[in-house]
């Protein structure tokens, strides 16, 4: 499997630190508002990377943080007259709802910066003890970039150039810096801000140290993959490398992956979608117009290192493309039912015969497509090509499967389509069908409860269904349900 590594600017063969395991850290959002669809791009892309590793049998330890202490969170808290924690918890919950809608799996761990302060104080002290950091008279602790000889290796920047660049920008409040390119590890609190005790001052951590500490705690000193959007290469990831490697003396991350921006076009100008430019759509807004599966599909129809322009036309095209896949899945289900019905009518029992020679040949074609799909994904996760292969499979399925096909062939095609889509996080069962299954299941549980004379549970289930907008009618033919 080949991964483009920002560190070496080359595609490299993936070799895990531990056989069969992947340790992966993805920088998560700062939670002061609903996430926008630019933020959703790394979530969808790296969830797909994870899914592919899992498909290949790797055990993936996937860590993605929530930055829950930050100027923007504090500002919003002051505006609303509440604690920062109220703001961050609210938007963590909202972010998790969006992730669920986009079928992004929860991380193995979602650490929160504010719960990891002890580890940050510890790492900062280690850096001071090793001469890589120093406390200024006002209590600010800085990382001494000149003490880390590899500084600039990720962003391919030269420290001297950086220093002269920074020298031109004089920042007030940073008089205690030895060098303009040094960066903050710990800073004193300001009036009304959340703070923690430390030997340097009452204060809070800098942003970069959070990720170094959370990666170390949940994955170890050395990890396989560190990922995020390309705006994080400098300074965030460069600084993470400096902190982590200076503290541990070991290489931090083996592969650095960065997704390109999701852009928007306005009056002929292409711009990165961002909160500060005010040119964004939140995932929640998109969910009002589209199933979020469409957004996911849209993101994956481009390679993750290619810039992607968001537009209504492309979303419509994605909606139609996704519909073609879902229709193929519907056809497979219909064929399965028709084949089963025919067998019952003909009095045939058991799971049936295997595939006929023609079907064997088609199945072989499908297997070639699976290999092609894998080759695309193994080439630095080329989901755009992966999607094209899925369409080839859809075509094969549409033209070769019918109610007359053998159950084995239908099941094989259904499983193949489902598996390839699942790697991309595309669900091949329509939402309404999922809902129907859920309703039927609850009704069965209610019947069971009634049989056991557990009427309070039965009522509870009826209430739950009512909350879902479903009304039950007990009729002579059994329980019927309808939408309220
Ligand atoms: P933030 O909350 O700004 O720290 O961003 C969280 C993640 O979203 C980071 O990995 C960013 O690089 C990524 N990100 C932010 N805006 C965009 C965008 N327009 N396109 C792609 N990724 C983005
Ligand atoms: Zn980070």
């Amino acid at each position: 499997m080949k991964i483009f590594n920002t560190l070496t600017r080359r595609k490299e063969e993936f070799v895990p630190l531990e056989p069969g395991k992947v340790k992966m850290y993805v920088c998560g959002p700062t939670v002061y508002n609903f996430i926008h669809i630019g933020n959703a791009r790394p979530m969808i892309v790296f969830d797909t990377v994870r899914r592919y590793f899992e498909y290949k049998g790797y055990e993936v330890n996937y860590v993605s943080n929530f930055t829950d202490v930050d100027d923007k969170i504090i500002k919003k808290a002051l505006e609303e007259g509440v604690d920062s924690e109220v703001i961050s918890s609210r938007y963590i919950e909202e972010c998790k709802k969006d992730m669920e809608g986009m079928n992004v799996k929860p991380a193995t761990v979602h650490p929160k910066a504010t719960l990891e302060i002890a580890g940050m104080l510890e790492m900062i002290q280690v850096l001071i003890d090793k001469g890589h950091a120093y406390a200024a008279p006002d209590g600010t602790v800085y990382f001494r970039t000149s003490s880390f000889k590899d500084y600039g290796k990720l962003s391919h920047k030269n420290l001297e150039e950086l220093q002269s660049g920074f020298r031109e920008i004089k920042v007030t409040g940073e008089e205690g810096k030895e060098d303009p390119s040094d960066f903050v590890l710990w800073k004193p609190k300001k009036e009304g801000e959340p703070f923690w005790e430390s030997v340097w001052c009452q204060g809070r951590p800098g942003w970069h140290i959070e990720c170094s500490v959370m990666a170390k705690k949940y994955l170890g000193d050395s990890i396989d993959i560190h990922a995020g959007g390309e705006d994080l290469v400098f300074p965030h990831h460069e600084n993470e490398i400096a902190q982590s490697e200076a503290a541990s003396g070991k290489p931090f991350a083996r592969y650095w992956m960065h997704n390109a921006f999701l852009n928007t076009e306005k009056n002929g100008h292409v711009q990165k979608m961002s909160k500060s430019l005010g040119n964004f759509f939140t995932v929640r807004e998109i969910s009002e117009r589209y199933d979020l599966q469409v957004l996911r599909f849209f993101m994956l129809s481009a390679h993750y290192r290619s810039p992607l322009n968001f537009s209504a036309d492309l979303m419509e095209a994605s909606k139609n493309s996704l519909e073609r896949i879902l229709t193929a899945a519907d056809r497979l289900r219909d064929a399965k039912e028709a084949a089963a019905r025919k067998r019952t009518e003909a009095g045939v029992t058991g799971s049936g015969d295997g595939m006929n020679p023609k079907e064997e040949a088609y199945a072989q074609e499908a297997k070639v497509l699976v290999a092609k799909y894998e080759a695309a994904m193994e080439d630095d996760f080329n989901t755009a090509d992966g999607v094209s292969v899925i369409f080839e499979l859809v075509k094969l399925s549409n033209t070769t499967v019918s109610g007359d096909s053998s159950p084995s062939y239908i099941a094989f095609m259904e499983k193949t389509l489902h598996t390839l889509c699942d790697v991309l996080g595309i669900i091949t069962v329509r939402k309404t069908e999922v809902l129907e299954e859920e309703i039927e299941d609850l009704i069965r549980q209610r019947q069971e409860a009634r049989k056991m004379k557990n009427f309070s549970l039965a009522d509870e289930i009826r209430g739950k269904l009512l909350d879902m907008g479903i009304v039950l009618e007990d009729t002579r033919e059994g329980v019927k349900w309808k939408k309220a």
Side-chain angles (χ1 to χ4, degrees):
M1 190 185 309
K2 289 218 159 34
I3 296 183
F4 183 89
N5 189 353
T6 309
L7 198 58
T8 56
R9 289 180 171 165
R10 279 191 290 115
K11 277 188 200 169
E12 291 175 19
E13 189 59 33
F14 177 73
V15 184
L17 291 165
E18 238 182 284
K21 294 194 175 164
V22 181
K23 295 191 243 289
M24 184 165 177
Y25 187 94
V26 182
C27 292
T30 307
V31 277
Y32 64 101
N33 212 327
F34 287 94
I35 57 163
H36 62 73
I37 56 177
N39 303 133
R41 190 168 188 195
M43 287 180 183
I44 292 171
V45 160
F46 298 115
D47 177 64
T48 305
V49 168
R50 170 198 191 162
R51 284 168 180 269
Y52 188 71
F53 276 119
E54 287 174 346
Y55 163 78
K56 293 299 282 182
Y58 285 94
E59 188 188 306
V60 184
N61 192 347
Y62 189 99
V63 178
S64 192
N65 67 297
F66 285 116
T67 296
D68 62 345
V69 53
D70 172 87
D71 289 344
K72 295 179 205 121
I73 301 174
I74 295 168
K75 184 165 169 265
K76 180 110 174 178
L78 288 174
E79 280 166 15
E80 288 195 18
V82 295
D83 278 353
S84 291
E85 212 260 323
V86 174
I87 301 294
S88 57
S89 331
R90 181 198 304 159
Y91 292 112
I92 286 173
E93 282 323 301
E94 298 299 351
C95 177
K96 286 185 174 170
K97 281 186 213 158
D98 288 338
M99 284 168 66
E100 195 183 337
M102 297 185 293
N103 201 23
V104 169
K105 288 189 187 189
T108 317
V109 195
H110 276 293
K112 290 196 276 188
T114 54
L115 299 181
E116 308 292 342
I117 303 290
M120 297 181 209
L121 296 175
E122 208 174 295
M123 191 180 279
I124 296 170
Q125 190 58 56
V126 169
L127 290 170
I128 293 179
D129 294 346
K130 290 189 167 185
H132 289 295
Y134 57 94
D138 70 346
T140 309
V141 184
Y142 293 103
F143 186 90
R144 185 178 280 128
T145 46
S146 62
S147 73
F148 185 67
K149 69 172 178 19
D150 285 339
Y151 194 76
K153 70 175 170 182
L154 180 73
S155 51
H156 305 94
K157 287 182 196 289
N158 171 310
L159 185 57
E160 276 151 35
E161 277 170 28
L162 276 174
Q163 285 169 334
S164 59
F166 276 126
R167 220 153 266 142
E168 281 153 31
I169 324 164
K170 287 255 177 312
V171 183
T172 47
E174 295 197 338
E175 291 81 8
K177 268 190 182 186
E178 283 177 6
D179 188 286
S181 60
D182 292 353
F183 59 88
V184 171
L185 299 175
W186 187 264
K187 57 185 160 196
K189 68 165 185 187
K190 289 199 200 109
E191 196 49 41
E193 289 184 356
F195 67 91
W196 290 265
E197 296 292 339
S198 82
V199 293
W200 314 292
C201 63
Q202 291 182 328
R204 59 186 169 101
W207 172 35
H208 319 301
I209 194 75
E210 299 174 6
C211 287
S212 280
V213 167
M214 292 186 265
K216 177 187 166 75
K217 175 163 172 188
Y218 295 100
L219 298 168
D221 284 331
S222 295
I223 70 175
D224 293 295
I225 298 174
H226 196 121
E230 69 180 358
D231 52 337
L232 300 189
V233 174
F234 189 86
H236 186 51
H237 288 165
E238 194 67 67
N239 292 353
E240 279 192 48
I241 294 179
Q243 297 161 156
S244 296
E245 299 195 352
S248 74
K250 296 178 196 149
F252 180 32
R254 174 84 180 76
Y255 305 88
W256 286 86
M257 295 180 73
H258 294 98
N259 63 273
F261 290 144
L262 178 77
N263 297 319
T264 49
E265 211 177 316
K266 221 174 165 182
N267 309 329
H269 292 290
V270 176
Q271 286 179 321
K272 173 198 173 190
M273 186 176 284
S274 78
K275 287 256 165 70
S276 53
L277 291 173
N279 60 357
F280 62 88
F281 288 107
T282 62
V283 170
R284 205 53 65 85
E285 283 166 336
I286 296 297
S287 77
E288 283 156 17
R289 271 201 267 160
Y290 294 97
D291 182 338
L292 289 176
Q293 288 279 301
V294 177
L295 181 67
R296 184 164 183 129
F297 189 82
F298 160 76
M299 297 276 187
L300 296 177
S301 23
H303 188 272
Y304 76 92
R305 283 189 294 113
S306 305
L308 180 57
N309 287 2
F310 180 78
S311 73
D313 285 354
L314 283 176
M315 280 296 280
E316 280 305 311
S318 298
K319 186 180 168 191
N320 294 337
S321 300
L322 183 62
E323 185 57 33
R324 261 168 71 204
I325 299 177
L326 296 183
T327 308
D330 288 344
R331 286 177 58 123
L332 281 160
R333 260 186 303 277
D334 291 347
K336 186 163 72 180
E337 278 164 26
R341 216 171 27 245
K342 276 185 195 157
R343 294 173 72 78
T344 315
E345 279 161 17
V348 185
T349 52
S351 63
D353 308 317
M355 301 180 205
N356 64 40
K358 230 180 184 168
E359 290 174 341
E360 292 276 5
Y362 293 141
Q364 203 48 44
E365 269 182 56
K367 283 183 190 159
V368 170
L369 291 177
V370 172
K372 195 168 160 189
Y373 176 88
E374 289 185 4
M377 294 299 279
E378 308 238 334
D379 181 16
D380 193 30
F381 304 96
N382 194 334
T383 54
D385 284 359
V387 166
S388 310
V389 178
I390 290 182
F391 283 116
E392 288 185 64
L393 186 71
V394 161
K395 194 169 163 202
L396 181 68
S397 171
N398 287 348
T399 50
T400 61
V401 175
S402 73
D404 295 326
S405 304
S406 72
S408 320
Y409 180 61
I410 302 172
F412 170 80
M413 289 301 273
E414 202 175 26
K415 183 158 184 284
T416 308
L417 182 64
H418 169 80
T419 306
L420 299 197
C421 286
D422 188 52
V423 170
L424 300 183
I426 299 297
I427 302 168
T428 53
V429 182
R430 289 179 195 276
K431 284 259 163 66
T432 49
E433 288 174 57
V434 177
L435 192 66
E436 277 172 25
E437 262 174 44
E438 207 178 315
I439 293 166
E440 302 286 349
D441 196 45
L442 281 169
I443 292 174
R444 265 194 300 278
Q445 286 176 30
R446 176 170 170 267
Q447 294 297 79
E448 203 57 35
R450 279 172 20 141
K451 232 191 322 189
M452 308 300 282
K453 305 228 178 306
N454 187 348
F455 296 109
S456 62
L457 178 62
D459 284 347
E460 202 181 297
I461 296 175
R462 181 190 273 271
K464 198 168 167 187
L465 283 159
L466 201 57
D467 289 343
M468 291 162 70
I470 302 300
V471 188
L472 299 185
E473 267 178 86
D474 292 309
T475 70
R476 236 181 283 153
E477 295 88 52
V479 184
K480 296 230 166 95
W481 62 269
K482 62 173 190 213
K483 294 214 169 89

